[in-house]
Amino acid sequence: MCEDHARPDETTAPRTEGTHLGRRALFLSSAAAAITLGTVNFASGADEQPGASGQSKTVSGTLPPGSPDFVYVPVEVPAGVRELHVAYSYEKPSVPAGTQGNALDIGLFDERGTALGGNGFRGWSGGARTEFFVRQDDATPGYLPGPVRPGTWHIALGPYTVAPDGLPYEITITLTRGAPDPAPKPVYPPERAKGRGRAWYRGDCHLHSWHSDGRRTPAEIAALARQAGLDFINTSDHNTSSSHPHWADQAGDDLLILLGEEVTTRNGHVLALSTDPGTFVDWRYRARDNRFAAFAREIRGSGGIVVPAHPHATCIGCNWKFGLNEADAVEVWNGPYTADDEVQLADWDNTLVAGARSGRRDWLPAMGNSDAHRDPDVVGLPQTVVLADDLTRGAVLDGIRAGRSYIAESSQVEVAFTASGSRGEHAGIGERLAVAPDAPVTVRLEVKGAPGRTTHIVTDQGTLFSGPALPDSGTATVEYHTTASYAAYVRAEVRHPATTAGLPGAFTALTNPIFLGK
């Protein structure tokens, strides 16, 4: 769920070996406040070791509590550099219980600058790595290969949390001279797999690889997705698109791979789901900066959809604070069931009344994803099961946007949920049953693969039906009768038996609603 952070002094003047950094400049960007320190200059050739092709310089300083979200260290890169390498460390003192320790993230912008949403982005590893490199033909996972052109580059430090006594850090920058190797041409996964026509397709749209704070390679993730019975996945590494060219050889007729990003701000995380290959969405703003709407439009402009992730997560910076006006769907169930999923389910259910208003389609569909990072995280727990016209990027996104989907804990669980009227009217998940207010409505729920679980029908009034535990076969059909005047919508839940008095059981499956009434 939360990005890994390698753990983060009034900033003291940074120290360099053999080089004096000019006095730091303080500015407020158009988003979060930021500090730019003095420039690390390699252009003079000082400190170069005789006979060596590389130069290294070390800078150090201390960031104070209350530091701005981003601290930029400019590096003047001369011509003829083949590779830029950065290693960093910082102190991680013990702190009293309840007090935040140090956590310092890191990334890189090239000579095109650090402007919000600009083209200078070259990578971000958060706190997952202590060193990285970039060159034309290759880069550390999380970073983008490309030419190391002359000009002012910036190392971006992100003091995620700072201990009371400050965050002492040290950065070593190494430039290696020489001719660059040819740049490889990126290849991306196809936007179509061999589907079954209009059918229910299973997917996990929140997954992390070693291109951010995950520990799995793309190949390992794809293999686990196939084992989980998934038809599609979406990549979602934190604040980087570096993995996008590394998925093509993992796709196949049996697995559609969509490309995205988990945009990880200080005020919540959001999935940029299935954007165009190579799309990078900036994350350097907070809700108070009034910037998110522009980046939501950027996500949709690149063919993707906007899905706030784990909105009620309790980790620092994970709770979603940008509102839902720009969302296309919302992640209601994230990974193995926890109390914050129950809170998010209730919060989402409260929004469904908007969709119950006649003639309106402004309700927000629910999704569920694993957010798997490493062993023992289970890919496909949970998964979103989407009714799509085929197994293509466009069809899957259309199904998600329309809410033609349900969430299941595994591929063993199948749900069919419909509502019908007395005159042959029929509606499925995400649809509206157009009947008169007092016309009888039959709601039908069919469940497979859920032995011992209980079934529940929920309306705008709450849970109005709960069935007995399913038999060992895990299969059951239940019916519920109502009218549109009594229930503005119906949705289904399948749950594990409750284990704590007064609390419901963990989720097995959740459906999006069927709305009732004309």
Side-chain angles (χ1 to χ4, degrees):
M1 177 181 298
C2 304
E3 185 180 8
D4 282 348
H5 299 274
R7 294 292 184 199
D9 353 273
E10 179 116 35
T11 298
T12 59
R15 163 180 72 83
T16 67
E17 295 181 358
T19 301
H20 172 71
L21 290 186
R23 184 177 179 179
R24 66 191 174 100
L26 175 65
F27 70 91
L28 297 180
S29 73
S30 59
I35 293 176
T36 297
L37 304 178
T39 301
V40 181
N41 198 323
F42 282 85
S44 67
D47 302 329
E48 187 169 0
Q49 298 177 6
S53 61
Q55 291 176 267
S56 294
K57 293 190 177 182
T58 297
V59 299
S60 63
T62 301
L63 300 174
S67 288
D69 290 349
F70 301 100
V71 176
Y72 295 103
V73 180
V75 179
E76 196 65 32
V77 176
V81 171
R82 178 177 185 269
E83 177 182 295
L84 184 151
H85 179 276
V86 176
Y88 84 119
S89 62
Y90 58 92
E91 296 183 10
K92 305 171 187 177
S94 297
V95 295
T99 301
Q100 295 300 323
N102 286 334
L104 184 62
D105 295 342
I106 197 166
L108 184 68
F109 290 80
D110 66 20
E111 86 290 345
R112 291 172 291 183
T114 62
L116 190 66
N119 297 320
F121 175 78
R122 290 298 292 270
W124 183 258
S125 48
R129 300 181 184 278
T130 59
E131 60 182 302
F132 62 84
F133 75 90
V134 294
R135 60 176 189 255
Q136 181 162 283
D137 65 310
D138 199 4
T140 300
Y143 293 80
L144 306 181
V148 183
R149 292 179 288 257
T152 304
W153 291 51
H154 290 83
I155 298 167
L157 301 178
Y160 189 69
T161 57
V162 180
D165 292 335
L167 193 161
Y169 66 88
E170 184 173 276
I171 308 169
T172 298
I173 306 127
T174 301
L175 305 183
T176 301
R177 298 178 181 273
D181 291 329
K185 182 179 180 180
V187 179
Y188 302 109
E191 296 187 2
R192 174 182 294 273
K194 186 177 181 180
R196 306 181 297 278
R198 187 173 176 84
W200 293 93
Y201 296 100
R202 295 174 178 270
D204 188 346
C205 294
H206 191 164
L207 295 161
H208 296 277
S209 77
W210 66 354
H211 284 265
S212 59
D213 59 343
R215 296 294 181 268
R216 292 166 173 156
T217 64
E220 291 169 332
I221 293 171
L224 291 169
R226 290 181 165 96
Q227 291 174 21
L230 300 182
D231 301 295
F232 66 93
I233 59 174
N234 176 75
T235 72
S236 59
D237 283 307
H238 293 283
N239 298 342
T240 185
S241 58
S242 69
S243 78
H244 289 190
H246 299 277
W247 288 98
D249 56 354
Q250 305 307 320
D253 286 347
D254 62 335
L255 186 65
L256 175 69
I257 299 181
L258 310 175
L259 304 176
E261 176 188 336
E262 184 173 11
V263 184
T264 307
T265 81
R266 298 295 182 92
N267 284 164
H269 303 183
V270 61
L271 301 177
L273 199 162
S274 188
T275 51
D276 291 337
T279 298
F280 160 69
V281 183
D282 213 321
W283 75 101
R284 293 171 295 156
Y285 44 86
R286 297 195 186 201
R288 66 192 179 202
D289 301 316
N290 197 30
R291 292 281 175 171
F292 177 67
F295 289 100
R297 290 192 294 271
E298 181 180 313
I299 292 168
R300 285 190 284 268
S302 68
I305 61 175
V306 178
V307 185
H310 47 67
H312 287 279
T314 57
C315 49
I316 294 173
C318 297
N319 190 283
W320 184 249
K321 298 184 183 298
F322 293 89
L324 298 174
N325 288 340
E326 296 294 337
D328 298 304
V330 62
E331 192 178 70
V332 167
W333 181 0
N334 175 277
Y337 170 85
T338 59
D340 56 88
D341 295 311
E342 198 69 58
V343 173
Q344 177 54 38
L345 176 65
D347 195 37
W348 168 72
D349 185 83
N350 289 340
T351 71
L352 295 180
V353 172
R357 297 177 184 140
S358 178
R360 299 188 64 173
R361 171 60 178 88
D362 54 1
W363 66 281
L364 199 60
M367 292 189 70
N369 302 296
S370 73
D371 200 357
H373 285 68
R374 60 185 70 79
D375 294 339
D377 297 353
V378 178
V379 171
L381 171 59
Q383 54 198 248
T384 300
V385 191
V386 183
L387 180 60
D389 289 336
D390 209 341
L391 188 52
T392 66
R393 176 190 178 193
V396 168
L397 293 185
D398 285 345
I400 293 172
R401 287 190 198 96
R404 299 193 304 265
S405 61
Y406 66 90
I407 310 168
E409 68 178 353
S410 77
S411 61
Q412 303 302 309
V413 178
E414 298 181 30
V415 170
F417 187 56
T418 60
S420 57
S422 60
R423 298 184 177 181
E425 305 96 336
H426 182 87
I429 298 171
E431 298 176 338
R432 176 180 292 276
L433 184 70
V435 294
D438 296 325
V441 173
T442 299
V443 179
R444 184 180 177 90
L445 172 63
E446 301 174 50
V447 181
K448 296 180 181 179
R453 313 305 203 272
T454 57
T455 55
H456 309 268
I457 306 297
V458 183
T459 78
D460 55 311
Q461 296 186 72
T463 301
L464 295 186
F465 172 85
S466 294
L470 272 63
D472 291 344
S473 66
T475 301
T477 299
V478 299
E479 288 190 353
Y480 171 72
H481 300 278
T482 188
T483 64
S485 63
Y486 191 69
Y489 59 85
V490 290
R491 62 178 184 82
E493 298 178 1
V494 183
R495 290 179 177 264
H496 288 263
T499 57
T500 303
L503 295 178
F507 306 152
T508 293
L510 306 170
T511 74
N512 273 302
I514 302 171
F515 294 98
L516 307 181
K518 295 181 179 180

